[in-house]
Amino acid sequence: MNARTEPAEAQRAPEIPARPPLIREFLLVAGLFLVYKLGRRLATGHTEEAFRNARRVWHLERTAHLPHENAVQTALLHGDTLVHLANTYYATVHFPATLAFLVWLYVRRPGHYVWARRVLAAVTSAALVLPFTFPLAPPRMLTATGLVDTARVYGPSVYGPPSSDHLSNQFAAMPSLHFGWALMLAIGLIAATRSRWRWLWLLHPLITLLVIVGTANHYWLDAIVATAMFGLALAVIRPPRRTAVTAGRGTGLLSTREVVLAGAGR
């Protein structure tokens, strides 16, 4: 190696992270969704405790002077169209949006994909423990709240009567993975892209929060606990590092930053 080639190779950026094997990732993500569904089913059978905890959460929120969930629902109930849209958003956006997020990262940002998948897996696994230790009835089931079960009244609804619902555990309101996954989607896309508009992705968790509260499927505290869990996971599982530009323009070599962001949409 001579002196002329050493600087060039010293400036050469690292390769783009390898994309994980597709079949393995498909099985891992499918397993994550399956564990999410089956884990919540295993935590059924705590009805009395779930309602007792619901009353505790409701009173705790009032003691902490959190906004009334009723105020959000009242805004939704100004028209049938708005509440129907909120119910549809709750029923149809959660899983498809998260899946599309993971697929996009896998194709365009493999390094960020691995990070996002690890965070989602860690938080989802931890969240499955809470229904065993703290079963919680949603506010739509608690008559003292004065809230309406908007999905049952206006449709569409993803839940049947709790006694005959064999697809989900309706007494696992805390934490809200609807909100948690929406928050991860926004954070992941903000971290993985460079567009000046990327911060608009925060509208997704914001809309999700208003929907889950306004439809009486979750308390504010459900979203707060989900946020805390994701904050802890993000502190432990760090995203790929962005580094400064090291190569000059016109050299024909990609800078480290350009490699990390290769293919980034603007």
Side-chain angles (χ1 to χ4, degrees), residues 10-41:
Q11 291 177 353
R12 190 177 300 277
E15 295 181 357
I16 299 173
R19 188 173 290 111
L22 179 60
I23 299 300
R24 188 193 72 181
E25 292 306 310
F26 174 80
L27 294 175
L28 284 172
V29 173
L32 173 64
F33 282 88
L34 186 62
V35 167
Y36 169 72
K37 297 298 291 184
L38 293 182
R40 290 169 71 92
R41 285 296 310 144

Side-chain angles (χ1 to χ4, degrees), residues 42-102:
L42 291 175
T44 57
H46 304 281
T47 305
E48 184 176 342
E49 186 180 359
F51 278 101
R52 184 164 58 249
N53 288 335
R55 290 188 287 270
R56 290 171 177 168
V57 166
W58 184 258
H59 290 307
L60 177 61
E61 287 189 342
R62 307 292 75 82
T63 302
H65 301 291
L66 292 178
H68 270 272
E69 286 84 349
N70 307 66
V72 181
Q73 185 170 97
T74 299
L76 287 182
L77 294 178
H78 277 310
D80 291 357
T81 301
L82 188 58
V83 70
H84 184 79
L85 286 173
N87 291 333
T88 302
Y89 196 93
Y90 181 86
T92 62
V93 172
H94 179 45
F95 279 106
T98 306
L99 182 59
F101 163 66
L102 289 173

Side-chain angles (χ1 to χ4, degrees), residues 105-126:
L105 286 182
Y106 179 84
V107 173
R108 300 294 299 274
R109 303 289 188 280
H112 284 85
Y113 163 79
V114 173
W115 163 66
R117 188 249 294 152
R118 287 173 178 169
V119 173
L120 283 171
V123 173
T124 301
S125 300

Side-chain angles (χ1 to χ4, degrees), residues 232-248:
L232 180 60
L234 290 171
V236 175
I237 306 172
R238 294 301 186 91
R241 178 178 298 179
R242 296 184 183 277
T243 55
V245 175
T246 58

Side-chain angles (χ1 to χ4, degrees), residues 87-88 90-92 140 151 156-160 165 167-168 170 178 217:
N87 291 333
T88 302
Y90 181 86
T92 62
R140 57 187 167 81
S157 176
V158 294
Y159 301 122
D165 187 354
L167 297 177
S168 61
Q170 297 188 43
H178 261 77
N217 282 293

